[in-house]
Amino acid sequence: MQNLTLLDGQKFQITLQRLCRQLIENHNDFSESVLIGIQPRGIYLAKRIAEELRKILPGKTILQGDLDITFYRDDFRRRDQLVPNQTKIDFIIEGKKVIMMDDVLWTGRTIRAAMDALQAFGRPEKIELLALVDRRYSRHIPVEADYVGIEVDSIASQKVVVSWIETDGEDRITLISDTK
């Protein structure tokens, strides 16, 4: 295995801050917008973005929730015993602008499942997508992120891993290549 660090340390934090500034340009004070992290790893991104937005916009309410898509996936019947994650959305999304967040955008299937799952909570005015990593040229479904941390050109045998300080002890994006 060959590992290549794509982003870490201060550059990782600067990327999160840049994404926050882009969100502020389009959503102003977030009074009509909500953040939704897609389980399992998109929740860390959504929590960090929400935390950063609260620092930049003191006194503003930033609503952030977690969405489980386990039973909305088109492959859930093909997988061995799935363990669902928790959905935590304790606010109304009806008529709101929803910014869905995931750590890696690859085939687009996760995002399709998340849009299906989101409909159970109402009809948002608009849905946008923020991805920390966009693995271009690998889509199975025509999905594109509105906000992107970094773009990575990779092949199917490679894997992009996002490590979070909260769970992995460090913020890092790594491209892993199988050298067989």
Side-chain angles (χ1 to χ4, degrees), residues 97-151:
K97 295 173 187 161
V98 173
I99 304 121
M100 290 193 313
M101 300 187 183
D102 206 3
D103 58 347
V104 180
L105 171 58
W106 187 19
T107 64
R109 291 181 184 275
T110 296
I111 306 309
R112 187 215 45 86
M115 288 192 292
D116 287 348
L118 199 59
Q119 296 307 308
F121 295 91
R123 184 175 187 267
E125 177 186 318
K126 181 179 184 178
I127 299 173
E128 294 181 336
L129 176 61
L130 183 149
L132 184 58
V133 181
D134 182 358
R135 290 184 67 174
R136 302 183 308 173
Y137 313 122
S138 302
R139 301 286 189 277
H140 296 176
I141 295 174
V143 171
E144 183 177 345
D146 300 281
Y147 311 94
V148 175
I150 64 168
E151 294 178 327

Side-chain angles (χ1 to χ4, degrees), residues 22-174:
Q22 290 173 329
L23 288 171
I24 291 167
E25 284 180 15
N26 292 330
H27 297 274
N28 299 313
D29 65 356
F30 286 83
S31 60
E32 297 299 318
S33 303
V34 300
L35 311 178
I36 303 288
I38 301 171
Q39 288 274 22
R41 307 284 290 178
I43 65 168
Y44 303 111
L45 175 60
K47 287 176 182 174
R48 291 282 288 279
I49 293 287
E51 181 182 301
E52 193 65 34
L53 285 170
R54 288 180 189 113
K55 289 179 189 173
I56 298 169
L57 302 168
K60 300 295 180 189
T61 300
I62 308 294
L63 298 175
Q64 184 266 316
D66 304 339
L67 181 66
D68 177 52
I69 61 162
T70 302
F71 299 111
Y72 292 89
R73 294 182 56 88
D74 58 7
D75 63 350
F76 86 93
R77 287 182 184 90
R78 298 179 190 173
R79 294 179 168 212
D80 295 331
Q81 193 169 3
L82 292 173
V83 178
N85 292 294
Q86 183 180 16
T87 291
K88 182 185 169 220
I89 300 176
D90 55 0
F91 46 84
I92 304 295
I93 68 163
E94 185 77 30
K96 298 283 188 182
K97 295 173 187 161
V98 173
I99 304 121
M100 290 193 313
M101 300 187 183
D102 206 3
D103 58 347
V104 180
L105 171 58
W106 187 19
T107 64
R109 291 181 184 275
T110 296
I111 306 309
R112 187 215 45 86
M115 288 192 292
D116 287 348
L118 199 59
Q119 296 307 308
F121 295 91
R123 184 175 187 267
E125 177 186 318
K126 181 179 184 178
I127 299 173
E128 294 181 336
L129 176 61
L130 183 149
L132 184 58
V133 181
D134 182 358
R135 290 184 67 174
R136 302 183 308 173
Y137 313 122
S138 302
R139 301 286 189 277
H140 296 176
I141 295 174
V143 171
E144 183 177 345
D146 300 281
Y147 311 94
V148 175
I150 64 168
E151 294 178 327
V152 176
D153 298 331
S154 59
I155 57 177
S157 64
Q158 293 174 314
K159 186 174 182 178
V160 175
V161 176
V162 177
S163 302
W164 295 99
I165 199 162
E166 295 87 344
T167 58
D168 309 303
E170 67 178 339
D171 292 330
R172 178 183 302 271
I173 301 172
T174 308

